[in-house]
mmCIF file of all heavy atoms in Angstrom:
data_model
loop_
_atom_site.group_PDB
_atom_site.id
_atom_site.type_symbol
_atom_site.label_atom_id
_atom_site.label_comp_id
_atom_site.label_asym_id
_atom_site.label_seq_id
_atom_site.Cartn_x
_atom_site.Cartn_y
_atom_site.Cartn_z
ATOM 1 N N VAL T 1280 60.547 83.314 -41.314
ATOM 2 C CA VAL T 1280 60.318 82.538 -40.033
ATOM 3 C C VAL T 1280 59.921 83.657 -39.068
ATOM 4 O O VAL T 1280 60.390 84.718 -39.007
ATOM 5 C CB VAL T 1280 61.637 81.874 -39.612
ATOM 6 C CG1 VAL T 1280 61.857 80.570 -40.415
ATOM 7 C CG2 VAL T 1280 62.891 82.717 -39.663
ATOM 8 N N TYR T 1281 59.048 83.054 -38.113
ATOM 9 C CA TYR T 1281 58.485 84.031 -37.119
ATOM 10 C C TYR T 1281 58.259 83.308 -35.814
ATOM 11 O O TYR T 1281 58.317 82.071 -35.794
ATOM 12 C CB TYR T 1281 57.205 84.588 -37.607
ATOM 13 C CG TYR T 1281 56.096 83.678 -37.665
ATOM 14 C CD1 TYR T 1281 55.239 83.451 -36.546
ATOM 15 C CD2 TYR T 1281 55.795 82.856 -38.770
ATOM 16 C CE1 TYR T 1281 54.195 82.640 -36.528
ATOM 17 C CE2 TYR T 1281 54.772 82.028 -38.826
ATOM 18 C CZ TYR T 1281 53.939 81.910 -37.655
ATOM 19 O OH TYR T 1281 52.909 80.947 -37.675
ATOM 20 N N GLY T 1282 58.082 84.103 -34.748
ATOM 21 C CA GLY T 1282 57.777 83.534 -33.506
ATOM 22 C C GLY T 1282 57.009 84.508 -32.652
ATOM 23 O O GLY T 1282 57.083 85.752 -32.965
ATOM 24 N N ILE T 1283 56.176 84.077 -31.653
ATOM 25 C CA ILE T 1283 55.552 85.033 -30.755
ATOM 26 C C ILE T 1283 56.288 84.879 -29.488
ATOM 27 O O ILE T 1283 56.240 83.819 -28.724
ATOM 28 C CB ILE T 1283 54.139 84.642 -30.565
ATOM 29 C CG1 ILE T 1283 53.435 84.653 -31.875
ATOM 30 C CG2 ILE T 1283 53.323 85.709 -29.611
ATOM 31 C CD1 ILE T 1283 53.276 85.804 -32.647
ATOM 32 N N THR T 1284 56.952 85.941 -28.982
ATOM 33 C CA THR T 1284 57.603 85.932 -27.665
ATOM 34 C C THR T 1284 56.602 86.340 -26.560
ATOM 35 O O THR T 1284 55.838 87.241 -26.693
ATOM 36 C CB THR T 1284 58.729 86.940 -27.682
ATOM 37 O OG1 THR T 1284 58.310 88.254 -27.918
ATOM 38 C CG2 THR T 1284 59.819 86.615 -28.721
ATOM 39 N N ASP T 1285 56.652 85.495 -25.440
ATOM 40 C CA ASP T 1285 55.728 85.730 -24.452
ATOM 41 C C ASP T 1285 55.988 86.992 -23.739
ATOM 42 O O ASP T 1285 55.096 87.849 -23.477
ATOM 43 C CB ASP T 1285 55.735 84.574 -23.399
ATOM 44 C CG ASP T 1285 55.169 83.277 -24.027
ATOM 45 O OD1 ASP T 1285 54.521 83.465 -25.066
ATOM 46 O OD2 ASP T 1285 55.541 82.183 -23.461
ATOM 47 N N LEU T 1286 57.286 87.242 -23.265
ATOM 48 C CA LEU T 1286 57.633 88.349 -22.393
ATOM 49 C C LEU T 1286 58.965 88.886 -22.777
ATOM 50 O O LEU T 1286 60.002 88.131 -22.943
ATOM 51 C CB LEU T 1286 57.678 88.102 -20.934
ATOM 52 C CG LEU T 1286 56.327 87.879 -20.241
ATOM 53 C CD1 LEU T 1286 56.535 87.351 -18.821
ATOM 54 C CD2 LEU T 1286 55.407 89.048 -20.331
ATOM 55 N N GLN T 1287 59.094 90.157 -23.095
ATOM 56 C CA GLN T 1287 60.411 90.833 -23.342
ATOM 57 C C GLN T 1287 60.452 91.849 -22.074
ATOM 58 O O GLN T 1287 59.740 92.614 -21.868
ATOM 59 C CB GLN T 1287 60.443 91.614 -24.644
ATOM 60 C CG GLN T 1287 60.309 90.628 -25.906
ATOM 61 C CD GLN T 1287 60.463 91.452 -27.099
ATOM 62 O OE1 GLN T 1287 61.035 92.557 -27.198
ATOM 63 N NE2 GLN T 1287 60.086 90.752 -28.302
ATOM 64 N N ILE T 1288 61.531 91.581 -21.333
ATOM 65 C CA ILE T 1288 61.716 92.294 -20.037
ATOM 66 C C ILE T 1288 63.119 92.964 -20.031
ATOM 67 O O ILE T 1288 64.101 92.452 -20.466
ATOM 68 C CB ILE T 1288 61.777 91.288 -18.906
ATOM 69 C CG1 ILE T 1288 60.292 90.626 -18.831
ATOM 70 C CG2 ILE T 1288 61.999 91.925 -17.557
ATOM 71 C CD1 ILE T 1288 59.191 91.555 -18.373
ATOM 72 N N GLU T 1289 63.050 94.101 -19.460
ATOM 73 C CA GLU T 1289 64.345 94.857 -19.117
ATOM 74 C C GLU T 1289 64.598 94.672 -17.537
ATOM 75 O O GLU T 1289 63.802 95.029 -16.758
ATOM 76 C CB GLU T 1289 64.285 96.345 -19.396
ATOM 77 C CG GLU T 1289 65.504 97.092 -18.955
ATOM 78 C CD GLU T 1289 65.455 98.591 -19.219
ATOM 79 O OE1 GLU T 1289 64.857 99.068 -20.302
ATOM 80 O OE2 GLU T 1289 65.930 99.375 -18.362
ATOM 81 N N ARG T 1290 65.671 93.934 -17.302
ATOM 82 C CA ARG T 1290 65.933 93.634 -15.844
ATOM 83 C C ARG T 1290 67.099 94.313 -15.405
ATOM 84 O O ARG T 1290 68.198 94.271 -16.056
ATOM 85 C CB ARG T 1290 66.136 91.989 -15.714
ATOM 86 C CG ARG T 1290 66.374 91.726 -14.338
ATOM 87 C CD ARG T 1290 66.257 90.185 -14.057
ATOM 88 N NE ARG T 1290 67.387 89.382 -14.517
ATOM 89 C CZ ARG T 1290 67.691 88.174 -14.277
ATOM 90 N NH1 ARG T 1290 66.837 87.477 -13.507
ATOM 91 N NH2 ARG T 1290 68.689 87.609 -14.804
ATOM 92 N N HIS T 1291 67.048 94.963 -14.220
ATOM 93 C CA HIS T 1291 68.141 95.670 -13.595
ATOM 94 C C HIS T 1291 68.781 94.779 -12.475
ATOM 95 O O HIS T 1291 68.049 94.263 -11.645
ATOM 96 C CB HIS T 1291 67.575 97.069 -13.055
ATOM 97 C CG HIS T 1291 67.165 97.933 -14.119
ATOM 98 N ND1 HIS T 1291 67.666 99.281 -14.104
ATOM 99 C CD2 HIS T 1291 66.392 97.706 -15.115
ATOM 100 C CE1 HIS T 1291 67.101 100.042 -15.117
ATOM 101 N NE2 HIS T 1291 66.267 99.014 -15.832
ATOM 102 N N SER T 1292 70.067 94.604 -12.694
ATOM 103 C CA SER T 1292 70.854 93.843 -11.694
ATOM 104 C C SER T 1292 72.143 94.572 -11.350
ATOM 105 O O SER T 1292 72.480 95.529 -12.044
ATOM 106 C CB SER T 1292 71.096 92.423 -12.360
ATOM 107 O OG SER T 1292 72.027 92.518 -13.405
ATOM 108 N N PRO T 1293 72.861 94.064 -10.430
ATOM 109 C CA PRO T 1293 74.202 94.706 -10.061
ATOM 110 C C PRO T 1293 75.131 94.755 -11.369
ATOM 111 O O PRO T 1293 75.967 95.627 -11.433
ATOM 112 C CB PRO T 1293 74.836 93.752 -8.995
ATOM 113 C CG PRO T 1293 73.652 93.151 -8.382
ATOM 114 C CD PRO T 1293 72.645 93.075 -9.466
ATOM 115 N N GLU T 1294 74.887 93.824 -12.294
ATOM 116 C CA GLU T 1294 75.784 93.845 -13.417
ATOM 117 C C GLU T 1294 75.340 94.965 -14.538
ATOM 118 O O GLU T 1294 75.995 94.967 -15.587
ATOM 119 C CB GLU T 1294 75.778 92.458 -14.175
ATOM 120 C CG GLU T 1294 76.312 91.311 -13.246
ATOM 121 C CD GLU T 1294 76.091 90.067 -13.862
ATOM 122 O OE1 GLU T 1294 76.029 89.928 -15.072
ATOM 123 O OE2 GLU T 1294 76.025 88.994 -13.040
ATOM 124 N N GLY T 1295 74.140 95.497 -14.328
ATOM 125 C CA GLY T 1295 73.661 96.552 -15.248
ATOM 126 C C GLY T 1295 72.284 96.028 -15.875
ATOM 127 O O GLY T 1295 71.707 95.175 -15.296
ATOM 128 N N ARG T 1296 72.030 96.738 -16.910
ATOM 129 C CA ARG T 1296 70.731 96.438 -17.569
ATOM 130 C C ARG T 1296 70.803 95.168 -18.399
ATOM 131 O O ARG T 1296 71.856 94.954 -19.095
ATOM 132 C CB ARG T 1296 70.298 97.543 -18.512
ATOM 133 C CG ARG T 1296 69.897 98.855 -17.766
ATOM 134 C CD ARG T 1296 69.796 99.963 -18.825
ATOM 135 N NE ARG T 1296 68.682 99.765 -19.596
ATOM 136 C CZ ARG T 1296 68.479 100.225 -20.946
ATOM 137 N NH1 ARG T 1296 69.525 100.983 -21.439
ATOM 138 N NH2 ARG T 1296 67.458 100.036 -21.507
ATOM 139 N N GLU T 1297 69.865 94.373 -18.296
ATOM 140 C CA GLU T 1297 69.795 93.022 -19.082
ATOM 141 C C GLU T 1297 68.519 92.935 -19.915
ATOM 142 O O GLU T 1297 67.471 93.291 -19.370
ATOM 143 C CB GLU T 1297 69.916 91.818 -17.991
ATOM 144 C CG GLU T 1297 69.835 90.481 -18.681
ATOM 145 C CD GLU T 1297 69.708 89.384 -17.533
ATOM 146 O OE1 GLU T 1297 69.730 89.788 -16.389
ATOM 147 O OE2 GLU T 1297 69.778 88.258 -18.005
ATOM 148 N N PHE T 1298 68.708 92.491 -21.130
ATOM 149 C CA PHE T 1298 67.494 92.231 -21.886
ATOM 150 C C PHE T 1298 67.083 90.791 -21.749
ATOM 151 O O PHE T 1298 67.938 89.953 -21.992
ATOM 152 C CB PHE T 1298 67.778 92.536 -23.450
ATOM 153 C CG PHE T 1298 66.572 92.409 -24.293
ATOM 154 C CD1 PHE T 1298 65.677 93.499 -24.515
ATOM 155 C CD2 PHE T 1298 66.181 91.129 -24.731
ATOM 156 C CE1 PHE T 1298 64.470 93.326 -25.270
ATOM 157 C CE2 PHE T 1298 65.024 90.982 -25.508
ATOM 158 C CZ PHE T 1298 64.213 92.043 -25.797
ATOM 159 N N LEU T 1299 65.957 90.519 -21.270
ATOM 160 C CA LEU T 1299 65.631 89.107 -20.812
ATOM 161 C C LEU T 1299 64.317 88.706 -21.738
ATOM 162 O O LEU T 1299 63.334 89.408 -21.691
ATOM 163 C CB LEU T 1299 65.204 89.119 -19.357
ATOM 164 C CG LEU T 1299 64.810 87.760 -18.819
ATOM 165 C CD1 LEU T 1299 65.929 86.724 -18.947
ATOM 166 C CD2 LEU T 1299 64.612 87.971 -17.217
ATOM 167 N N LEU T 1300 64.505 87.612 -22.434
ATOM 168 C CA LEU T 1300 63.343 87.160 -23.271
ATOM 169 C C LEU T 1300 62.894 85.897 -22.445
ATOM 170 O O LEU T 1300 63.597 84.908 -22.381
ATOM 171 C CB LEU T 1300 64.077 86.738 -24.681
ATOM 172 C CG LEU T 1300 63.077 86.392 -25.756
ATOM 173 C CD1 LEU T 1300 62.218 87.645 -26.145
ATOM 174 C CD2 LEU T 1300 63.726 85.866 -27.077
ATOM 175 N N LEU T 1301 61.652 85.988 -22.103
ATOM 176 C CA LEU T 1301 60.995 84.924 -21.216
ATOM 177 C C LEU T 1301 59.844 84.199 -21.952
ATOM 178 O O LEU T 1301 59.069 84.851 -22.609
ATOM 179 C CB LEU T 1301 60.610 85.504 -19.932
ATOM 180 C CG LEU T 1301 61.552 85.871 -18.960
ATOM 181 C CD1 LEU T 1301 60.803 86.653 -17.748
ATOM 182 C CD2 LEU T 1301 62.407 84.768 -18.400
ATOM 183 N N ASP T 1302 59.951 82.931 -21.805
ATOM 184 C CA ASP T 1302 58.828 82.027 -22.373
ATOM 185 C C ASP T 1302 58.128 81.321 -21.308
ATOM 186 O O ASP T 1302 58.786 80.662 -20.497
ATOM 187 C CB ASP T 1302 59.474 81.118 -23.502
ATOM 188 C CG ASP T 1302 58.277 80.555 -24.334
ATOM 189 O OD1 ASP T 1302 57.808 81.263 -25.221
ATOM 190 O OD2 ASP T 1302 57.869 79.499 -24.181
ATOM 191 N N LEU T 1303 56.832 81.271 -21.329
ATOM 192 C CA LEU T 1303 56.084 80.651 -20.191
ATOM 193 C C LEU T 1303 55.821 79.280 -20.595
ATOM 194 O O LEU T 1303 55.268 79.017 -21.763
ATOM 195 C CB LEU T 1303 54.757 81.413 -20.054
ATOM 196 C CG LEU T 1303 53.811 80.956 -18.938
ATOM 197 C CD1 LEU T 1303 54.561 81.088 -17.567
ATOM 198 C CD2 LEU T 1303 52.565 81.839 -19.024
ATOM 199 N N LYS T 1304 56.135 78.315 -19.758
ATOM 200 C CA LYS T 1304 56.063 76.812 -20.127
ATOM 201 C C LYS T 1304 55.122 76.251 -19.125
ATOM 202 O O LYS T 1304 55.365 76.321 -17.927
ATOM 203 C CB LYS T 1304 57.366 76.104 -20.082
ATOM 204 C CG LYS T 1304 58.313 76.599 -21.230
ATOM 205 C CD LYS T 1304 57.841 76.169 -22.598
ATOM 206 C CE LYS T 1304 58.918 76.550 -23.667
ATOM 207 N NZ LYS T 1304 58.331 76.202 -25.007
ATOM 208 N N THR T 1305 54.088 75.483 -19.580
ATOM 209 C CA THR T 1305 53.225 74.760 -18.700
ATOM 210 C C THR T 1305 53.551 73.325 -18.543
ATOM 211 O O THR T 1305 52.978 72.684 -17.650
ATOM 212 C CB THR T 1305 51.794 74.969 -19.196
ATOM 213 O OG1 THR T 1305 51.678 74.522 -20.571
ATOM 214 C CG2 THR T 1305 51.319 76.356 -19.103
ATOM 215 N N GLY T 1306 54.304 72.765 -19.421
ATOM 216 C CA GLY T 1306 54.710 71.412 -19.271
ATOM 217 C C GLY T 1306 55.705 71.159 -18.258
ATOM 218 O O GLY T 1306 56.692 71.912 -17.975
ATOM 219 N N SER T 1307 55.463 70.001 -17.460
ATOM 220 C CA SER T 1307 56.434 69.736 -16.301
ATOM 221 C C SER T 1307 57.763 69.373 -16.724
ATOM 222 O O SER T 1307 58.721 69.484 -15.951
ATOM 223 C CB SER T 1307 55.736 68.602 -15.536
ATOM 224 O OG SER T 1307 55.616 67.503 -16.327
ATOM 225 N N SER T 1308 57.971 68.968 -17.977
ATOM 226 C CA SER T 1308 59.263 68.443 -18.435
ATOM 227 C C SER T 1308 60.086 69.733 -19.034
ATOM 228 O O SER T 1308 61.170 69.494 -19.461
ATOM 229 C CB SER T 1308 59.209 67.374 -19.392
ATOM 230 O OG SER T 1308 58.471 67.818 -20.463
ATOM 231 N N ALA T 1309 59.519 70.866 -19.110
ATOM 232 C CA ALA T 1309 60.211 71.979 -19.791
ATOM 233 C C ALA T 1309 61.464 72.336 -19.030
ATOM 234 O O ALA T 1309 61.411 72.426 -17.756
ATOM 235 C CB ALA T 1309 59.257 73.193 -19.780
ATOM 236 N N LYS T 1310 62.459 72.561 -19.780
ATOM 237 C CA LYS T 1310 63.729 72.905 -19.111
ATOM 238 C C LYS T 1310 64.828 73.299 -20.121
ATOM 239 O O LYS T 1310 64.644 73.033 -21.318
ATOM 240 C CB LYS T 1310 64.276 71.662 -18.266
ATOM 241 C CG LYS T 1310 64.584 70.403 -19.110
ATOM 242 C CD LYS T 1310 64.883 69.281 -18.242
ATOM 243 C CE LYS T 1310 64.965 68.002 -18.950
ATOM 244 N NZ LYS T 1310 65.102 66.796 -18.258
ATOM 245 N N ILE T 1311 65.800 73.976 -19.662
ATOM 246 C CA ILE T 1311 67.024 74.385 -20.538
ATOM 247 C C ILE T 1311 68.088 73.272 -20.206
ATOM 248 O O ILE T 1311 68.349 73.167 -19.036
ATOM 249 C CB ILE T 1311 67.510 75.806 -20.202
ATOM 250 C CG1 ILE T 1311 66.449 76.862 -20.638
ATOM 251 C CG2 ILE T 1311 68.821 76.035 -20.887
ATOM 252 C CD1 ILE T 1311 66.791 78.335 -20.282
ATOM 253 N N LEU T 1312 68.659 72.678 -21.184
ATOM 254 C CA LEU T 1312 69.707 71.738 -21.016
ATOM 255 C C LEU T 1312 70.970 72.698 -21.099
ATOM 256 O O LEU T 1312 71.505 72.815 -22.148
ATOM 257 C CB LEU T 1312 69.647 70.708 -22.047
ATOM 258 C CG LEU T 1312 68.370 69.911 -22.189
ATOM 259 C CD1 LEU T 1312 68.340 68.779 -23.346
ATOM 260 C CD2 LEU T 1312 68.011 69.155 -20.893
#
Side-chain angles (χ1 to χ4, degrees):
V1280 285
Y1281 72 90
I1283 308 294
T1284 60
D1285 291 343
L1286 288 174
Q1287 296 183 21
I1288 296 289
E1289 178 183 320
R1290 181 166 76 164
H1291 291 231
S1292 67
E1294 299 175 24
R1296 294 171 65 206
E1297 176 185 5
F1298 186 91
L1299 184 57
L1300 197 62
L1301 288 173
D1302 197 76
L1303 186 61
K1304 294 292 184 185
T1305 54
S1307 58
S1308 61
K1310 57 188 171 185
I1311 295 175
L1312 305 177

